[in-house]
């Protein structure tokens, strides 16, 4: 279970561009059985209306924090609606959102980990659901990986350049 190696969730603030009731805080409550759900309206057991993708989730930390990656835990259980299949990750730098990764995932509820080639310092982080099962958005938990002492710390924009270089010229 997350603890060591993860940034504590104390003082985090979270907002979602769409949410069913007040479900956004469930992504940072430490309980893998609760989840955020994008907004929809049902009548007589059928969904009659729903917000459309993309969905934006913004996490604000109480102070600048060095992280080495991010993990998202999809909704757990038998209902696949809203499981993320394509997600974009951004960090805020100098008042603008810097796209770090555009990740595609197989459909499923396993933990999705995006480790960074270097550490970055963040206060605000954005997760954008671009594609998800049945066009809904659901997510159980968000985790930030703690600083990796074996990696240098760079800016978000520097990380993008480094990730592109290392993808083209792997260091193995």
């Amino acid at each position: 279970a997350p603890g060591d190696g993860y940034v504590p969730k104390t003082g985090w603030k979270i907002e979602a561009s769409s949410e069913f009731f007040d479900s956004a805080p469930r992504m940072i409550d430490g309980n893998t059985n609760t989840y955020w759900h994008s907004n929809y309206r049902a009548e007589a057991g059928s969904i009659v209306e729903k917000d459309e993708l993309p969905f934006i989730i913004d996490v604000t930390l109480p102070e600048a924090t060095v992280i080495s990656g991010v993990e998202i835990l999809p909704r757990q259980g038998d209902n696949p609606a809203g499981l993320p299949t394509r997600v974009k990750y951004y960090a805020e730098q100098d008042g603008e959102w810097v796209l770090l990764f555009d990740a595609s995932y197989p459909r499923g509820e396993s933990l999705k980990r995006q480790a960074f080639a270097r550490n970055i310092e963040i206060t605000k982080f954005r997760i954008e659901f671009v594609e998800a099962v049945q066009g809904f958005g659901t997510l159980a938990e968000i985790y930030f990986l703690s600083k990796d002492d074996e990696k240098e710390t760079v800016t978000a924009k520097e990380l993008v350049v480094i990730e592109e270089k290392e993808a083209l010229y792997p260091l193995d």
Side-chain angles (χ1 to χ4, degrees):
D4 287 350
Y6 292 88
V7 175
K9 296 184 182 185
T10 318
W12 291 19
K13 290 190 175 69
I14 190 159
E15 290 175 66
S17 61
S18 170
E19 61 181 321
F20 187 67
F21 291 111
D22 185 24
S23 58
R26 295 177 184 171
M27 290 182 275
I28 58 171
D29 66 0
N31 182 346
T32 58
N33 297 310
T34 64
Y35 57 90
W36 156 77
H37 200 300
S38 57
N39 198 28
Y40 66 91
R41 196 165 62 83
E43 285 176 8
S46 298
I47 289 169
V48 291
E49 206 181 344
K50 68 181 175 71
D51 288 354
E52 298 297 324
L53 289 156
F55 303 121
I56 305 281
I57 299 157
D58 286 344
V59 180
T60 305
L61 303 186
E63 59 193 10
T65 304
V66 177
I67 66 168
S68 61
V70 59
E71 289 179 349
I72 58 172
L73 181 69
R75 166 190 192 170
Q76 302 295 290
D78 298 329
N79 189 337
L83 293 177
T85 52
R86 184 172 166 219
V87 176
K88 290 182 178 179
Y89 297 98
Y90 303 81
E92 191 188 57
Q93 182 182 329
D94 303 326
E96 63 179 287
W97 290 107
V98 178
L99 175 62
L100 303 176
F101 297 97
D102 183 339
S104 292
Y105 298 118
R107 176 174 162 158
E109 56 186 56
S110 63
L111 188 68
K112 317 294 184 215
R113 171 179 280 227
Q114 196 71 54
F116 304 160
R118 306 288 186 277
N119 298 306
I120 59 168
E121 187 176 79
I122 63 159
T123 306
K124 290 187 172 179
F125 196 86
R126 170 170 285 178
I127 297 169
E128 178 184 3
F129 271 51
V130 182
E131 294 167 11
V133 177
Q134 295 169 21
F136 294 99
T138 60
L139 198 59
E141 287 294 316
I142 298 167
Y143 306 107
F144 292 125
L145 307 180
S146 300
K147 179 182 180 181
D148 181 339
D149 291 328
E150 292 176 12
K151 294 177 181 174
E152 65 174 331
T153 299
V154 299
T155 67
K157 289 176 185 173
E158 288 168 338
L159 177 65
V160 172
V161 173
I162 291 164
E163 293 280 358
E164 283 172 2
K165 266 190 199 149
E166 294 187 358
L168 290 173
Y169 312 104
L171 303 173
D172 51 18

